[in-house]
Amino acid sequence: MARIVQKYGGTSVGDVDRIKNVAARIKAFRDEGNQLVVVVSARSGVTNELIARAKAIHPNPPEREMDQLLSIGEQETIALTAMALEAIGVEAVSYTGAQAGIFTDKAHTKAKIKTIDARPLEKDLSAGKVIIVAGFQGINDDGHITTLGRGGSDLTAIALAAAIKADKCEIYTDVDGVYTADPRVVKNARKLDEISYDEMLELASAGSKVMQSRSVEFAAKYDVVFEVRSSFNNNPGTIVKQE
Ligand code: ADP
Ligand code: ASP
Ligand code: MG
């Protein structure tokens, strides 16, 4: 039995069928007896749509209200993913960032995680439930919802893996792993079996980003080894770790 944190990005939970596909994948890991904490993003496009709507109402919307708004994208997918699991006989419970004990500073729209109180989560894990956590969001000391910057669900997953001392952290996305360049742009880009945190940050600063840079920095700081892989097949992905 292993303790696994998985993260499924926006395309992977992009519609009802994909959410069902993710639930089936999670069930397979659960059936092997693993403990699972699963972070999900908003459906792809939802966060951008919400931003566009806000800007159509206010040219420079208050950041607190932006966070209040943007957090709903992930709140939809956690509930639907938990329901998809229950529908196939897997006990699951959804958690917002606040419910998962993710405490941040007060920097709305780009908050930093300060601490994670994993006690509620640990309790449900021990009870055998699969826990579905909303990526990209936390709560500050005043009780206001914050968000962690675009792509922030990656950070939620890495930080939770560190907090609960996961044996494995898997970042599921819509490509097979980390490539030498963006495979959608560079046709002969090559998939890497392994890459260091520094090399991954270099790729990002050269414009080729598969994960939020802050999440990679966080992983480097807390030595969280993770694998980037596809939610659409079973190909091995890319292991990211210290050199
Ligand atoms: P998710 O919604 O799962 O978080 P993202 O869209 O944020 O996924 O990141 C995955 C995308 O990153 C891929 O579809 C790919 O086009 C892009 N990408 C950019 N650079 C790279 C790279 N070096 N290796 C792999 N994917 C890359
Ligand atoms: N939904 C957020 C975004 O689009 C966070 C994420 O997908 O990681 O930036
Ligand atoms: Mg992303």
Side-chain angles (χ1 to χ4, degrees), residues 179-190:
Y179 285 68
T180 48
D182 187 341
R184 293 186 202 286
V185 179
V186 180
K187 277 284 156 280
N188 59 354
R190 199 166 39 81

Side-chain angles (χ1 to χ4, degrees), residues 4 30 43 83 98 103 110 170 183-184 231 233-234 240:
I4 308 174
R30 182 71 194 101
R43 286 182 293 116
M83 288 175 196
F103 290 93
K110 47 184 171 305
E170 300 171 328
R184 293 186 202 286
S231 69
N233 59 47
N234 290 314
V240 187

Side-chain angles (χ1 to χ4, degrees), residues 32-53:
E32 288 169 5
N34 299 302
Q35 286 188 336
L36 281 161
V37 173
V38 177
V39 175
V40 291
S41 289
R43 286 182 293 116
S44 61
V46 165
T47 307
N48 285 343
E49 257 168 51
L50 292 170
I51 292 172
R53 234 176 269 172

Side-chain angles (χ1 to χ4, degrees), residues 7 24 26 107 122 182 242:
K7 178 251 169 177
I26 296 169
E122 289 283 358
D182 187 341
Q242 215 73 257

Side-chain angles (χ1 to χ4, degrees), residues 13-240:
V13 292
D15 59 32
V16 164
D17 285 335
R18 288 190 172 171
I19 290 173
K20 288 181 178 172
N21 169 59
V22 162
R25 296 182 73 102
I26 296 169
K27 180 179 189 307
F29 284 95
R30 182 71 194 101
D31 287 347
E32 288 169 5
N34 299 302
Q35 286 188 336
L36 281 161
V37 173
V38 177
V39 175
V40 291
S41 289
R43 286 182 293 116
S44 61
V46 165
T47 307
N48 285 343
E49 257 168 51
L50 292 170
I51 292 172
R53 234 176 269 172
K55 295 223 157 131
I57 285 177
H58 191 308
N60 190 19
E63 291 189 327
R64 179 193 180 279
E65 303 311 328
M66 277 313 273
D67 281 353
Q68 194 84 323
L69 178 69
L70 297 193
S71 63
I72 70 174
E74 274 73 12
Q75 202 162 326
E76 176 194 4
T77 44
I78 53 170
L80 292 177
T81 305
M83 288 175 196
L85 283 162
E86 291 282 343
I88 53 174
V90 179
E91 264 197 287
V93 55
S94 69
Y95 277 62
T96 63
Q99 289 167 339
I102 300 174
F103 290 93
T104 73
D105 64 15
K106 293 181 184 170
H108 282 291
T109 75
K110 47 184 171 305
K112 287 207 171 74
I113 296 176
K114 292 200 305 184
T115 52
I116 296 183
D117 176 0
R119 280 173 298 184
L121 212 137
E122 289 283 358
K123 200 167 158 226
D124 274 333
L125 266 187
S126 309
K129 293 181 187 165
V130 172
I131 298 174
I132 313 294
V133 181
F136 176 57
Q137 56 176 261
I139 189 161
N140 68 24
D141 291 342
D142 296 333
H144 300 297
I145 296 173
T146 52
T147 62
L148 310 175
R150 295 306 306 270
S153 298
D154 296 326
L155 180 58
T156 304
I158 301 285
L160 278 173
I164 66 166
K165 299 186 172 57
D167 301 301
K168 256 188 183 175
C169 179
E170 300 171 328
I171 307 293
Y172 286 93
T173 184
D174 54 7
V175 285
D176 280 359
V178 182
Y179 285 68
T180 48
D182 187 341
R184 293 186 202 286
V185 179
V186 180
K187 277 284 156 280
N188 59 354
R190 199 166 39 81
K191 194 191 95 190
L192 302 158
D193 294 334
E194 246 182 58
I195 186 173
S196 71
Y197 303 119
D198 284 349
E199 287 166 331
M200 195 142 159
L201 290 168
E202 271 168 38
L203 273 180
S205 65
S208 164
K209 189 184 281 187
V210 56
M211 275 178 75
Q212 189 204 39
S213 294
R214 281 172 67 185
S215 71
V216 180
E217 286 159 7
F218 192 103
K221 186 167 171 194
Y222 292 95
D223 213 1
V224 178
V225 176
F226 59 90
E227 180 176 5
V228 180
R229 52 186 303 186
S230 171
S231 69
F232 298 102
N233 59 47
N234 290 314
N235 299 343
T238 303
I239 305 285
V240 187

